[in-house]
Amino acid sequence: MKRIGLLSDTHAYWDPRFEQYFRDVDEIWHAGDIGSLDVVLRLQELAPLRAVHGNIDGGDIRRIYPELLRWDCEGLSVLMTHIGGYPGRYAPNIRKLILQHPPGLFISGHSHILKVMPDPQLGLLHINPGAAGLQGWQTVRTLIRFSVSEAKVHDLEVIELV
């Protein structure tokens, strides 16, 4: 079993509560728009970091983190990108990838809108952790924690940073 901390759209903002909420996770996943290497380094101090770059990320972050990342976590196929849409409204390039090789979990950011929703047509779970940074129109900043074991997501928690 792995415990995961998931966030997106930090836009270079570091909230000291990230340490509190991600203290006991095995990995941190960032779905893009990281904004600065300082955020990367601070997250890496807490746990191993998997990330994709977002549309606001500069060359320094783009050289380290790809646009799209696919891996296996405890038997669960994971696909993560920054701009990907959501069930019923996937970005065209992502829809094609999902149809060719469906993941069990699809993660995207960008919209700053928290979504945790199944896609029963494609048999996957979609998560957008919302935005953890200060940029954007969201009124509540959010993080997500969950566990993965035996190819399933469980114990999912939404954390509101108010």
Side-chain angles (χ1 to χ4, degrees):
M1 181 178 82
K2 281 197 178 177
R3 190 79 176 135
I4 307 300
L6 175 63
L7 72 167
S8 186
D9 296 277
T10 47
H11 291 262
Y13 178 70
W14 179 260
D15 187 316
R17 292 175 291 178
F18 295 168
E19 294 174 28
Q20 171 191 345
Y21 291 116
F22 291 162
R23 178 182 309 126
D24 297 324
V25 300
D26 298 303
E27 293 183 4
I28 297 171
W29 300 349
H30 196 303
D33 278 2
I34 300 165
S36 76
L37 285 177
D38 181 58
V39 170
V40 167
L41 295 172
R42 292 175 102 172
L43 289 171
Q44 288 174 334
E45 289 175 3
L46 301 174
L49 176 65
R50 292 183 192 263
V52 293
H53 72 257
N55 55 296
I56 66 106
D57 290 317
D60 54 349
I61 290 173
R62 288 172 186 254
R63 280 188 287 280
I64 301 168
Y65 298 107
E67 180 180 358
L68 185 76
L69 196 57
R70 186 186 282 266
W71 73 98
D72 180 90
C73 178
E74 300 291 308
L76 179 68
S77 173
V78 181
L79 177 64
M80 183 166 66
T81 193
H82 183 61
I83 301 174
Y86 54 91
R89 299 200 58 157
Y90 295 115
N93 61 325
I94 295 302
R95 181 168 178 70
K96 183 178 178 182
L97 278 174
I98 289 173
L99 290 173
Q100 287 174 347
H101 185 234
L105 175 60
F106 172 60
I107 298 169
S108 64
H110 187 62
S111 71
H112 293 217
I113 299 170
L114 172 72
K115 287 184 191 284
V116 178
M117 58 191 300
D119 184 335
Q121 261 190 329
L122 298 176
L124 62 85
L125 177 64
H126 167 66
I127 301 176
N128 182 324
L134 298 176
Q135 299 291 328
W137 55 268
Q138 74 279 354
T139 56
V140 177
R141 296 179 306 112
T142 52
L143 309 170
I144 291 182
R145 287 187 304 202
F146 59 92
S147 297
V148 179
S149 63
E150 299 178 7
K152 296 200 182 323
V153 170
H154 54 92
D155 300 327
L156 189 140
E157 309 169 75
V158 172
I159 299 158
E160 293 184 348
L161 300 171
V162 290

